[in-house]
Amino acid sequence: MRKRRIGTSELYASELGLGCMSLSPDLGSENERIVKTALEQGINYFDTADLYNFGWNEELVGKFLKEVRKDIILATKGGNDWHDAIEGWNWNPTKKYIKSALKESLRRLQTDYIDLYQLHGGTIDDPMDETIEAFEELAAEGLIRYYGISSIRPNTIKYYAEHSNIQSVMMQYSLLDRRPEELFPYLESKKISVVARGSVAKGWLSEKAYQKKPDDSFLSFKGMDIQAKLDKIKTDIQLDEKLTHTALKFVLSHRVVATAAAGASSTEQLLENIGAFNTPDLTECERKELESLFPAEIYESHRA
């Protein structure tokens, strides 16, 4: 699988990453099969967070990746302060908490460093300079190699881009949510990469869309309209491939996107995602036709 550089770092991520949030205690031994299949198929980017299943997800990922630690890119996130009681969590981007949370992530992941540590959210009202100090100190201590943020808030993203050494911004991005494109030229100018999540829009950009109710919706799109547009992709654009493949290849048709961190709740789903990389890339004409079906919107507010 081809790899792309994350920002200006020394990290080269597989174009398809594994979003580990989809791993679950309910899957049992299928969790290990998913991770092993990902490795066998050339995926080297694995993305988790301390909040996922309140630490369980990191523990599972650490267990499965321990033997190949030096061969993969391990990304996790912090900033949500939760307790053993698991009664909820609070947003806490303070320097003290970020540094303590990272050390707990290291313990759960059974490693002594994180390749890409990401702030799991954030607003313009946060003590951002303090958070940046935490990241820089963790990097100086060798506990993280690089850092980024997971955010869809334009002003927050721009502050970090101007005042820190972030290498990436994780954002929900798909044909049905093209708002991040508003920031792509800016991020490219700063040599900051996008880590895309939600590329199949909760199944709306796959064959599962036809199993959903026509009166359901995704953002501003009505279910019946999405289904009609998917029919047009098949008949008018005539892309001879699965809708999931089209969705993933559209996201990766933008060079600012380093990897699409897609989840998988079965090995079959993972292999279907991987199948997108066994077919030709979208042509510029095909991409423009897709864009015409799903017009881009803008973020409602730039204050956050």
Side-chain angles (χ1 to χ4, degrees), residues 85-139:
I86 312 181
E87 295 175 350
W89 64 91
N90 299 306
W91 178 239
N92 189 349
T94 62
K95 177 179 176 180
K96 180 179 180 181
Y97 181 71
I98 291 294
K99 296 191 73 172
S100 65
L102 182 277
K103 291 174 182 176
E104 285 300 303
S105 287
L106 292 175
R107 178 184 60 79
R108 286 188 291 265
L109 287 162
Q110 300 185 54
T111 184
D112 54 7
Y113 69 97
I114 299 298
D115 295 294
L116 183 65
Y117 193 46
Q118 302 156 100
L119 184 67
H120 203 173
T123 74
I124 200 70
D125 296 321
D126 290 345
M128 290 187 282
D129 291 333
E130 182 180 332
T131 306
I132 292 167
E133 278 187 23
F135 283 134
E136 289 291 339
E137 289 182 12
L138 289 169

Side-chain angles (χ1 to χ4, degrees), residues 25-41:
D26 297 333
L27 296 179
S29 58
E30 183 70 358
N31 288 308
E32 185 172 11
R33 285 191 288 271
I34 291 169
V35 173
K36 286 188 174 181
T37 300
L39 290 167
E40 291 167 358
Q41 296 294 319

